[in-house]
Amino acid sequence: MYIGLISDTHGVFDDEFRRFLEPVDCIWHAGDWGGGEDFTRTISSFKPVTGVHGNCDGQDVRWLYPAVQNFECEGLKVLMTHIGGSPGHYDYRAHALIDSVKPDIFVCGHSHILKVMRDNANTLMYINPGAAGLHGWQVVRTALRFKIEGGKIFGMEVFEFPR
């Protein structure tokens, strides 16, 4: 499975990101879609989407995407929520979910900071794709793509695009 991962689009999904995500099988969106239900359709009509809503999303997006996704992909348990913190500094709700679900991969957004790292204390891969949109303080907009096969993550690629 070839995964594209984005977050914090805040209503922006431009051609540069489309080109980067064109070869993926599906997109995971870690919240703060922006732009409402019509905007979510812009992305979900491009590729199949698994996503969560973020703190900036309205009720229309919250009806479509839950606060938490817990699913399996190619033999790995995936936990996704928008506000997660980071290893050693998890949001208390995210920490409770991690303790309960015991995922192999924990995906979150919110911080606008791209970070991919192994969390040995919780035996998981932590992935935050940063922010793909223009809203916020980040200087570089980011997205990720990677493959999951046979219970392993590999081929992680970072896309960076200036604001």
Side-chain angles (χ1 to χ4, degrees):
M1 179 72 70
Y2 199 8
I3 311 294
L5 178 56
I6 57 177
S7 184
D8 296 276
T9 47
H10 293 284
V12 178
F13 188 63
D14 41 23
D15 290 341
E16 293 79 11
F17 284 85
R18 286 177 189 270
R19 279 193 290 277
F20 177 72
L21 297 170
E22 180 59 41
V24 304
D25 298 316
C26 65
I27 293 175
W28 296 352
H29 194 301
D32 274 2
W33 295 74
E37 185 178 346
D38 289 342
F39 178 72
T40 67
R41 279 197 290 275
T42 300
I43 298 174
S44 64
S45 66
F46 174 66
K47 295 286 177 174
V49 173
T50 300
V52 295
H53 69 257
N55 59 299
C56 292
D57 291 317
Q59 291 302 314
D60 54 347
V61 175
R62 290 170 190 247
W63 276 107
L64 296 171
Y65 295 98
V68 175
Q69 289 273 15
N70 177 17
F71 58 97
E72 188 171 308
C73 181
E74 297 291 319
L76 295 177
K77 287 191 290 185
V78 180
L79 175 63
M80 183 189 314
T81 192
H82 181 61
I83 299 175
S86 61
H89 306 282
Y90 288 119
D91 173 81
Y92 72 95
R93 292 165 294 221
H95 198 243
L97 287 166
I98 290 167
D99 285 347
S100 173
V101 173
K102 302 197 180 337
D104 299 301
I105 302 170
F106 176 62
V107 176
C108 63
H110 186 65
S111 70
H112 292 215
I113 300 170
L114 170 72
K115 186 182 280 192
V116 178
M117 65 182 286
R118 184 87 189 136
D119 176 356
N120 291 323
N122 291 290
T123 60
L124 60 82
M125 179 63 71
Y126 170 88
I127 306 176
N128 184 325
L134 294 167
H135 180 78
W137 55 268
Q138 75 279 1
V139 176
V140 177
R141 299 162 56 204
T142 55
L144 296 169
R145 63 184 184 194
F146 53 93
K147 294 181 179 173
I148 300 177
E149 188 175 304
K152 299 198 184 299
I153 303 172
F154 62 96
M156 182 80 63
E157 297 175 89
V158 176
F159 176 71
E160 296 181 326
F161 190 72
R163 281 182 63 138

PDB file of all heavy atoms in Angstrom, residues 12 14-17 19-20 131-143 158-163:
ATOM      1  N   VAL A  12      -6.457  24.399   1.412  1.00  0.00           N
ATOM      2  CA  VAL A  12      -5.538  24.506   0.279  1.00  0.00           C
ATOM      3  C   VAL A  12      -5.046  23.119  -0.125  1.00  0.00           C
ATOM      4  O   VAL A  12      -4.498  22.374   0.690  1.00  0.00           O
ATOM      5  CB  VAL A  12      -4.324  25.404   0.628  1.00  0.00           C
ATOM      6  CG1 VAL A  12      -3.343  25.465  -0.525  1.00  0.00           C
ATOM      7  CG2 VAL A  12      -4.781  26.798   1.026  1.00  0.00           C
ATOM      8  N   ASP A  14      -3.171  22.355  -3.579  1.00  0.00           N
ATOM      9  CA  ASP A  14      -2.780  22.864  -4.883  1.00  0.00           C
ATOM     10  C   ASP A  14      -2.031  21.839  -5.728  1.00  0.00           C
ATOM     11  O   ASP A  14      -1.778  20.717  -5.304  1.00  0.00           O
ATOM     12  CB  ASP A  14      -2.013  24.184  -4.764  1.00  0.00           C
ATOM     13  CG  ASP A  14      -1.021  24.207  -3.619  1.00  0.00           C
ATOM     14  OD1 ASP A  14      -0.590  23.137  -3.171  1.00  0.00           O
ATOM     15  OD2 ASP A  14      -0.692  25.310  -3.169  1.00  0.00           O
ATOM     16  N   ASP A  15      -1.709  22.242  -6.942  1.00  0.00           N
ATOM     17  CA  ASP A  15      -1.142  21.335  -7.942  1.00  0.00           C
ATOM     18  C   ASP A  15       0.157  20.664  -7.506  1.00  0.00           C
ATOM     19  O   ASP A  15       0.410  19.511  -7.843  1.00  0.00           O
ATOM     20  CB  ASP A  15      -0.919  22.074  -9.269  1.00  0.00           C
ATOM     21  CG  ASP A  15      -2.221  22.427  -9.950  1.00  0.00           C
ATOM     22  OD1 ASP A  15      -3.261  21.814  -9.626  1.00  0.00           O
ATOM     23  OD2 ASP A  15      -2.207  23.331 -10.813  1.00  0.00           O
ATOM     24  N   GLU A  16       0.986  21.381  -6.780  1.00  0.00           N
ATOM     25  CA  GLU A  16       2.259  20.801  -6.338  1.00  0.00           C
ATOM     26  C   GLU A  16       2.019  19.594  -5.441  1.00  0.00           C
ATOM     27  O   GLU A  16       2.705  18.574  -5.554  1.00  0.00           O
ATOM     28  CB  GLU A  16       3.111  21.846  -5.603  1.00  0.00           C
ATOM     29  CG  GLU A  16       3.608  22.967  -6.494  1.00  0.00           C
ATOM     30  CD  GLU A  16       2.560  24.049  -6.784  1.00  0.00           C
ATOM     31  OE1 GLU A  16       1.498  24.054  -6.131  1.00  0.00           O
ATOM     32  OE2 GLU A  16       2.813  24.868  -7.672  1.00  0.00           O
ATOM     33  N   PHE A  17       1.052  19.690  -4.564  1.00  0.00           N
ATOM     34  CA  PHE A  17       0.729  18.574  -3.673  1.00  0.00           C
ATOM     35  C   PHE A  17       0.045  17.447  -4.447  1.00  0.00           C
ATOM     36  O   PHE A  17       0.292  16.270  -4.189  1.00  0.00           O
ATOM     37  CB  PHE A  17      -0.117  19.044  -2.483  1.00  0.00           C
ATOM     38  CG  PHE A  17       0.713  19.760  -1.461  1.00  0.00           C
ATOM     39  CD1 PHE A  17       0.986  21.113  -1.597  1.00  0.00           C
ATOM     40  CD2 PHE A  17       1.254  19.080  -0.386  1.00  0.00           C
ATOM     41  CE1 PHE A  17       1.781  21.777  -0.679  1.00  0.00           C
ATOM     42  CE2 PHE A  17       2.038  19.734   0.528  1.00  0.00           C
ATOM     43  CZ  PHE A  17       2.312  21.086   0.388  1.00  0.00           C
ATOM     44  N   ARG A  19       0.610  16.644  -7.552  1.00  0.00           N
ATOM     45  CA  ARG A  19       1.665  15.930  -8.284  1.00  0.00           C
ATOM     46  C   ARG A  19       2.452  15.004  -7.362  1.00  0.00           C
ATOM     47  O   ARG A  19       2.752  13.869  -7.739  1.00  0.00           O
ATOM     48  CB  ARG A  19       2.600  16.922  -8.980  1.00  0.00           C
ATOM     49  CG  ARG A  19       2.033  17.447 -10.289  1.00  0.00           C
ATOM     50  CD  ARG A  19       3.069  18.181 -11.125  1.00  0.00           C
ATOM     51  NE  ARG A  19       3.465  19.462 -10.551  1.00  0.00           N
ATOM     52  CZ  ARG A  19       2.779  20.596 -10.706  1.00  0.00           C
ATOM     53  NH1 ARG A  19       1.660  20.606 -11.402  1.00  0.00           N
ATOM     54  NH2 ARG A  19       3.217  21.709 -10.176  1.00  0.00           N
ATOM     55  N   PHE A  20       2.781  15.479  -6.178  1.00  0.00           N
ATOM     56  CA  PHE A  20       3.518  14.643  -5.228  1.00  0.00           C
ATOM     57  C   PHE A  20       2.702  13.415  -4.822  1.00  0.00           C
ATOM     58  O   PHE A  20       3.236  12.317  -4.672  1.00  0.00           O
ATOM     59  CB  PHE A  20       3.905  15.460  -3.985  1.00  0.00           C
ATOM     60  CG  PHE A  20       4.605  14.663  -2.923  1.00  0.00           C
ATOM     61  CD1 PHE A  20       5.918  14.237  -3.107  1.00  0.00           C
ATOM     62  CD2 PHE A  20       3.963  14.343  -1.739  1.00  0.00           C
ATOM     63  CE1 PHE A  20       6.569  13.499  -2.132  1.00  0.00           C
ATOM     64  CE2 PHE A  20       4.602  13.606  -0.754  1.00  0.00           C
ATOM     65  CZ  PHE A  20       5.917  13.186  -0.954  1.00  0.00           C
ATOM     66  N   ALA A 131       2.373  20.723   7.934  1.00  0.00           N
ATOM     67  CA  ALA A 131       1.206  21.430   7.386  1.00  0.00           C
ATOM     68  C   ALA A 131       1.328  21.596   5.881  1.00  0.00           C
ATOM     69  O   ALA A 131       2.349  22.066   5.384  1.00  0.00           O
ATOM     70  CB  ALA A 131       1.057  22.793   8.042  1.00  0.00           C
ATOM     71  N   ALA A 132       0.261  21.224   5.168  1.00  0.00           N
ATOM     72  CA  ALA A 132       0.220  21.379   3.715  1.00  0.00           C
ATOM     73  C   ALA A 132      -0.393  22.705   3.298  1.00  0.00           C
ATOM     74  O   ALA A 132      -0.248  23.118   2.144  1.00  0.00           O
ATOM     75  CB  ALA A 132      -0.560  20.219   3.087  1.00  0.00           C
ATOM     76  N   GLY A 133      -1.065  23.381   4.213  1.00  0.00           N
ATOM     77  CA  GLY A 133      -1.763  24.619   3.876  1.00  0.00           C
ATOM     78  C   GLY A 133      -0.952  25.871   4.123  1.00  0.00           C
ATOM     79  O   GLY A 133       0.213  25.821   4.524  1.00  0.00           O
ATOM     80  N   LEU A 134      -1.588  26.997   3.907  1.00  0.00           N
ATOM     81  CA  LEU A 134      -0.942  28.301   4.058  1.00  0.00           C
ATOM     82  C   LEU A 134      -1.175  28.928   5.422  1.00  0.00           C
ATOM     83  O   LEU A 134      -0.492  29.874   5.789  1.00  0.00           O
ATOM     84  CB  LEU A 134      -1.461  29.257   2.968  1.00  0.00           C
ATOM     85  CG  LEU A 134      -1.087  28.870   1.543  1.00  0.00           C
ATOM     86  CD1 LEU A 134      -1.897  29.684   0.545  1.00  0.00           C
ATOM     87  CD2 LEU A 134       0.399  29.049   1.319  1.00  0.00           C
ATOM     88  N   HIS A 135      -2.147  28.449   6.168  1.00  0.00           N
ATOM     89  CA  HIS A 135      -2.477  29.013   7.472  1.00  0.00           C
ATOM     90  C   HIS A 135      -1.430  28.579   8.491  1.00  0.00           C
ATOM     91  O   HIS A 135      -1.038  27.424   8.533  1.00  0.00           O
ATOM     92  CB  HIS A 135      -3.872  28.527   7.897  1.00  0.00           C
ATOM     93  CG  HIS A 135      -4.311  29.040   9.221  1.00  0.00           C
ATOM     94  ND1 HIS A 135      -4.793  30.316   9.402  1.00  0.00           N
ATOM     95  CD2 HIS A 135      -4.325  28.448  10.442  1.00  0.00           C
ATOM     96  CE1 HIS A 135      -5.097  30.476  10.677  1.00  0.00           C
ATOM     97  NE2 HIS A 135      -4.823  29.364  11.318  1.00  0.00           N
ATOM     98  N   GLY A 136      -0.966  29.491   9.316  1.00  0.00           N
ATOM     99  CA  GLY A 136       0.000  29.143  10.353  1.00  0.00           C
ATOM    100  C   GLY A 136       1.333  29.824  10.132  1.00  0.00           C
ATOM    101  O   GLY A 136       1.508  30.637   9.239  1.00  0.00           O
ATOM    102  N   TRP A 137       2.276  29.445  10.925  1.00  0.00           N
ATOM    103  CA  TRP A 137       3.566  30.128  10.965  1.00  0.00           C
ATOM    104  C   TRP A 137       4.656  29.408  10.171  1.00  0.00           C
ATOM    105  O   TRP A 137       5.746  29.945   9.994  1.00  0.00           O
ATOM    106  CB  TRP A 137       4.008  30.255  12.423  1.00  0.00           C
ATOM    107  CG  TRP A 137       4.022  28.914  13.102  1.00  0.00           C
ATOM    108  CD1 TRP A 137       3.014  28.328  13.802  1.00  0.00           C
ATOM    109  CD2 TRP A 137       5.077  27.958  13.077  1.00  0.00           C
ATOM    110  NE1 TRP A 137       3.376  27.073  14.213  1.00  0.00           N
ATOM    111  CE2 TRP A 137       4.652  26.820  13.791  1.00  0.00           C
ATOM    112  CE3 TRP A 137       6.358  27.955  12.524  1.00  0.00           C
ATOM    113  CZ2 TRP A 137       5.439  25.699  13.955  1.00  0.00           C
ATOM    114  CZ3 TRP A 137       7.149  26.835  12.697  1.00  0.00           C
ATOM    115  CH2 TRP A 137       6.683  25.726  13.418  1.00  0.00           C
ATOM    116  N   GLN A 138       4.394  28.188   9.703  1.00  0.00           N
ATOM    117  CA  GLN A 138       5.445  27.408   9.050  1.00  0.00           C
ATOM    118  C   GLN A 138       5.959  28.109   7.798  1.00  0.00           C
ATOM    119  O   GLN A 138       5.214  28.738   7.071  1.00  0.00           O
ATOM    120  CB  GLN A 138       4.967  25.988   8.728  1.00  0.00           C
ATOM    121  CG  GLN A 138       4.018  25.847   7.566  1.00  0.00           C
ATOM    122  CD  GLN A 138       2.567  26.162   7.896  1.00  0.00           C
ATOM    123  OE1 GLN A 138       2.221  26.522   9.005  1.00  0.00           O
ATOM    124  NE2 GLN A 138       1.706  26.056   6.903  1.00  0.00           N
ATOM    125  N   VAL A 139       7.258  27.979   7.563  1.00  0.00           N
ATOM    126  CA  VAL A 139       7.901  28.588   6.408  1.00  0.00           C
ATOM    127  C   VAL A 139       7.799  27.655   5.202  1.00  0.00           C
ATOM    128  O   VAL A 139       7.694  28.108   4.067  1.00  0.00           O
ATOM    129  CB  VAL A 139       9.388  28.897   6.724  1.00  0.00           C
ATOM    130  CG1 VAL A 139      10.113  29.440   5.502  1.00  0.00           C
ATOM    131  CG2 VAL A 139       9.494  29.875   7.889  1.00  0.00           C
ATOM    132  N   VAL A 140       7.825  26.360   5.462  1.00  0.00           N
ATOM    133  CA  VAL A 140       7.772  25.352   4.411  1.00  0.00           C
ATOM    134  C   VAL A 140       6.522  24.503   4.607  1.00  0.00           C
ATOM    135  O   VAL A 140       6.222  24.078   5.721  1.00  0.00           O
ATOM    136  CB  VAL A 140       9.033  24.457   4.444  1.00  0.00           C
ATOM    137  CG1 VAL A 140       8.946  23.365   3.400  1.00  0.00           C
ATOM    138  CG2 VAL A 140      10.282  25.286   4.241  1.00  0.00           C
ATOM    139  N   ARG A 141       5.784  24.277   3.530  1.00  0.00           N
ATOM    140  CA  ARG A 141       4.620  23.394   3.558  1.00  0.00           C
ATOM    141  C   ARG A 141       5.108  21.986   3.250  1.00  0.00           C
ATOM    142  O   ARG A 141       5.976  21.803   2.396  1.00  0.00           O
ATOM    143  CB  ARG A 141       3.601  23.866   2.528  1.00  0.00           C
ATOM    144  CG  ARG A 141       3.124  25.279   2.825  1.00  0.00           C
ATOM    145  CD  ARG A 141       2.465  25.928   1.641  1.00  0.00           C
ATOM    146  NE  ARG A 141       1.358  25.136   1.156  1.00  0.00           N
ATOM    147  CZ  ARG A 141       0.894  25.202  -0.092  1.00  0.00           C
ATOM    148  NH1 ARG A 141       1.452  26.009  -0.974  1.00  0.00           N
ATOM    149  NH2 ARG A 141      -0.128  24.458  -0.455  1.00  0.00           N
ATOM    150  N   THR A 142       4.537  20.985   3.921  1.00  0.00           N
ATOM    151  CA  THR A 142       5.079  19.633   3.818  1.00  0.00           C
ATOM    152  C   THR A 142       4.001  18.572   3.657  1.00  0.00           C
ATOM    153  O   THR A 142       2.839  18.768   4.020  1.00  0.00           O
ATOM    154  CB  THR A 142       5.927  19.289   5.062  1.00  0.00           C
ATOM    155  OG1 THR A 142       5.135  19.483   6.235  1.00  0.00           O
ATOM    156  CG2 THR A 142       7.175  20.162   5.141  1.00  0.00           C
ATOM    157  N   ALA A 143       4.420  17.430   3.115  1.00  0.00           N
ATOM    158  CA  ALA A 143       3.599  16.231   3.007  1.00  0.00           C
ATOM    159  C   ALA A 143       4.558  15.043   2.985  1.00  0.00           C
ATOM    160  O   ALA A 143       5.770  15.204   2.780  1.00  0.00           O
ATOM    161  CB  ALA A 143       2.768  16.255   1.732  1.00  0.00           C
ATOM    162  N   VAL A 158       9.738  12.912   1.782  1.00  0.00           N
ATOM    163  CA  VAL A 158       9.239  14.209   2.270  1.00  0.00           C
ATOM    164  C   VAL A 158       9.095  15.155   1.089  1.00  0.00           C
ATOM    165  O   VAL A 158       9.990  15.255   0.245  1.00  0.00           O
ATOM    166  CB  VAL A 158      10.216  14.814   3.300  1.00  0.00           C
ATOM    167  CG1 VAL A 158       9.761  16.200   3.724  1.00  0.00           C
ATOM    168  CG2 VAL A 158      10.387  13.904   4.500  1.00  0.00           C
ATOM    169  N   PHE A 159       7.958  15.849   1.042  1.00  0.00           N
ATOM    170  CA  PHE A 159       7.741  16.896   0.061  1.00  0.00           C
ATOM    171  C   PHE A 159       7.760  18.232   0.785  1.00  0.00           C
ATOM    172  O   PHE A 159       7.048  18.397   1.791  1.00  0.00           O
ATOM    173  CB  PHE A 159       6.400  16.703  -0.657  1.00  0.00           C
ATOM    174  CG  PHE A 159       6.078  17.809  -1.618  1.00  0.00           C
ATOM    175  CD1 PHE A 159       6.786  17.933  -2.805  1.00  0.00           C
ATOM    176  CD2 PHE A 159       5.074  18.715  -1.354  1.00  0.00           C
ATOM    177  CE1 PHE A 159       6.496  18.934  -3.709  1.00  0.00           C
ATOM    178  CE2 PHE A 159       4.768  19.723  -2.249  1.00  0.00           C
ATOM    179  CZ  PHE A 159       5.494  19.839  -3.425  1.00  0.00           C
ATOM    180  N   GLU A 160       8.565  19.146   0.320  1.00  0.00           N
ATOM    181  CA  GLU A 160       8.630  20.493   0.895  1.00  0.00           C
ATOM    182  C   GLU A 160       8.347  21.506  -0.193  1.00  0.00           C
ATOM    183  O   GLU A 160       8.878  21.404  -1.295  1.00  0.00           O
ATOM    184  CB  GLU A 160      10.003  20.773   1.488  1.00  0.00           C
ATOM    185  CG  GLU A 160      10.367  19.878   2.656  1.00  0.00           C
ATOM    186  CD  GLU A 160      11.717  20.195   3.243  1.00  0.00           C
ATOM    187  OE1 GLU A 160      12.630  20.590   2.490  1.00  0.00           O
ATOM    188  OE2 GLU A 160      11.854  20.041   4.464  1.00  0.00           O
ATOM    189  N   PHE A 161       7.485  22.456   0.145  1.00  0.00           N
ATOM    190  CA  PHE A 161       7.116  23.486  -0.799  1.00  0.00           C
ATOM    191  C   PHE A 161       7.055  24.812  -0.049  1.00  0.00           C
ATOM    192  O   PHE A 161       6.373  24.920   0.974  1.00  0.00           O
ATOM    193  CB  PHE A 161       5.758  23.148  -1.436  1.00  0.00           C
ATOM    194  CG  PHE A 161       5.396  24.032  -2.586  1.00  0.00           C
ATOM    195  CD1 PHE A 161       6.060  23.917  -3.808  1.00  0.00           C
ATOM    196  CD2 PHE A 161       4.390  24.968  -2.464  1.00  0.00           C
ATOM    197  CE1 PHE A 161       5.725  24.736  -4.879  1.00  0.00           C
ATOM    198  CE2 PHE A 161       4.052  25.791  -3.530  1.00  0.00           C
ATOM    199  CZ  PHE A 161       4.717  25.676  -4.741  1.00  0.00           C
ATOM    200  N   PRO A 162       7.764  25.833  -0.517  1.00  0.00           N
ATOM    201  CA  PRO A 162       7.754  27.103   0.200  1.00  0.00           C
ATOM    202  C   PRO A 162       6.376  27.751   0.203  1.00  0.00           C
ATOM    203  O   PRO A 162       5.593  27.543  -0.710  1.00  0.00           O
ATOM    204  CB  PRO A 162       8.768  27.969  -0.560  1.00  0.00           C
ATOM    205  CG  PRO A 162       9.178  27.220  -1.763  1.00  0.00           C
ATOM    206  CD  PRO A 162       8.591  25.849  -1.701  1.00  0.00           C
ATOM    207  N   ARG A 163       6.128  28.544   1.220  1.00  0.00           N
ATOM    208  CA  ARG A 163       4.843  29.264   1.304  1.00  0.00           C
ATOM    209  C   ARG A 163       4.684  30.262   0.209  1.00  0.00           C
ATOM    210  O   ARG A 163       5.389  30.954  -0.273  1.00  0.00           O
ATOM    211  CB  ARG A 163       4.727  29.959   2.650  1.00  0.00           C
ATOM    212  CG  ARG A 163       4.342  28.994   3.725  1.00  0.00           C
ATOM    213  CD  ARG A 163       4.191  29.692   5.024  1.00  0.00           C
ATOM    214  NE  ARG A 163       3.101  30.657   4.939  1.00  0.00           N
ATOM    215  CZ  ARG A 163       2.213  30.869   5.859  1.00  0.00           C
ATOM    216  NH1 ARG A 163       2.269  30.192   6.954  1.00  0.00           N
ATOM    217  NH2 ARG A 163       1.274  31.758   5.729  1.00  0.00           N
TER     218      ARG A 163
END
